[in-house]
Amino acid sequence: MTTLTSGNPLAGSPTPSPEGREHTAPAPPAARRPGGAWLGLVPFAAYLGAFLVLPTVLALMTGLFDGDGALTGDNIAALVDPVVLATFGNSTWVSLLTAAIGAATGALVCFAMLGLPETGFVRTTVDAASGVLAQFGGVMLAFVLVATIGTQGVVTRLLDDVFGLDIFAGGAWIYALPGLIPAYVVFQVPLMVITFMPALAALKPQWVEAHLTLGGTRASFWPTIGFPVLAPSFLASFLLLFANAFSSYATAAALASQGSQIVPLQIRTALTSETVLGRENLAGALALGMILVVGVVMAVYALIQGRAARWQS
């Protein structure tokens, strides 16, 4: 007869097997020792430190000092100046408008591609073009807009000669704040395609079948299941587009060369203007204001994206 031995099985004490033979439970695995895999994060950590952490610290520190290096609160107080508030307001409404246009148009493009094969010519072409156009900006984008819808652009002259329509009858808006709207939409739409298409493609066909089995229709699937499930991903993509437009500088600097109607251009003016003597560190306060706005937006984006990832996995 087999004798039962008391003790903790995890410690290796013998316990009876169904056949009556004694066996020893495996010992707990040893604690993992830290290896060298973390060294792979060093380049990324250095990148974050050089281009995210360091600029944030510099913006905070320079905003608290004047041109002579003395501690002051004037720069931070300038954030509530009516001119600065108007600049933040311009950046906000332009970013919201272009994000809304880009999100709506991009979502329609994604929906149109949903029924196409992933490896087909149309879908792969749209994916490749979206990846390129999402990074298209600066002087190149400004040149394209001026050449097409500028005061003497191809499309401008065509509309005037054929239809007698002068799109600049009220002034050369292309070189002012309204001109940033079509410029930003050019890269907002492809960015929406890149970020929203994976969420739309993650919709499972079994959900449609279950909905039909329970008496629903294909038309009722979207308002009852599709849209509510996609809402977090859509909102997260919208916030990403807003942050992208709010922090854009190169396109605005190349297109709207006169005036400082948005925050990035106001920062440029604070750094380069010869008429703002003694307030050079105002640029740090403006940059700090931008960091706070974008930081809040991206924090909300991360929360929503985490919620959307629950059903996408």
Side-chain angles (χ1 to χ4, degrees):
M1 182 176 67
T2 303
T3 303
L4 297 178
T5 305
S6 61
N8 186 357
L10 294 178
S13 302
T15 57
S17 64
E19 293 80 8
R21 296 189 302 271
E22 294 182 351
H23 68 86
T24 301
R32 293 184 179 181
R33 298 179 179 179
W38 61 272
L39 293 175
L41 296 175
V42 172
F44 182 65
Y47 171 81
L48 289 180
F51 296 103
L52 182 62
V53 178
L54 182 59
T56 302
V57 173
L58 290 177
L60 177 60
M61 297 305 297
T62 55
L64 297 176
F65 295 91
D66 58 17
D68 298 327
L71 186 64
T72 180
D74 293 342
N75 295 323
I76 301 298
L79 293 178
V80 297
D81 183 88
V83 176
V84 176
L85 289 177
T87 304
F88 272 93
N90 290 337
S91 293
T92 300
W93 76 259
V94 169
S95 301
L96 286 174
L97 180 59
T98 57
I101 297 174
T105 307
L108 291 176
V109 173
C110 293
F111 184 79
M113 293 195 303
L114 189 60
L116 300 177
E118 294 186 10
T119 58
F121 174 77
V122 175
R123 188 159 173 177
T124 54
T125 302
V126 173
D127 289 340
S130 299
V132 174
L133 292 176
Q135 306 299 323
F136 186 66
V139 177
M140 294 184 296
L141 178 55
F143 171 77
V144 170
L145 288 176
V146 171
T148 53
I149 59 173
T151 54
Q152 298 297 324
V154 176
V155 175
T156 304
R157 301 313 309 162
L158 180 64
L159 293 175
D160 191 16
D161 295 340
V162 177
F163 303 100
L165 177 61
D166 184 9
I167 61 176
F168 293 106
W173 52 266
I174 188 67
Y175 305 112
L177 190 63
L180 298 181
I181 297 175
Y184 285 4
V185 169
V186 170
F187 54 75
Q188 294 281 61
V189 172
L191 182 59
M192 182 64 180
V193 173
I194 293 174
T195 58
F196 189 64
M197 190 63 200
L200 196 59
L203 288 176
K204 296 178 175 56
Q206 294 84 348
W207 296 350
V208 181
E209 297 172 359
H211 180 71
L212 296 176
T213 302
L214 294 175
T217 62
R218 293 187 179 275
S220 64
F221 169 79
W222 289 105
T224 57
I225 298 177
F227 292 151
V229 170
L230 290 173
S233 297
F234 181 86
L235 182 57
S237 299
F238 173 81
L239 292 175
L240 183 63
L241 265 61
F242 171 83
N244 183 50
F246 191 83
S247 58
S248 180
Y249 165 74
T251 302
L255 191 61
S257 58
Q258 300 295 327
S260 303
Q261 302 182 29
I262 61 175
V263 182
L265 299 184
Q266 187 73 28
I267 294 175
R268 180 190 63 180
T269 300
L271 290 173
T272 61
S273 176
E274 298 180 356
T275 61
V276 192
L277 300 178
R279 298 292 300 277
E280 296 85 356
N281 289 355
L282 176 62
L286 294 172
L288 180 60
M290 288 194 65
I291 291 172
L292 292 177
V293 173
V294 175
V296 170
V297 171
M298 296 312 297
V300 177
Y301 166 81
L303 291 175
I304 297 176
Q305 191 65 22
R307 179 182 178 86
R310 296 177 184 177
W311 63 267
Q312 291 180 7
S313 59

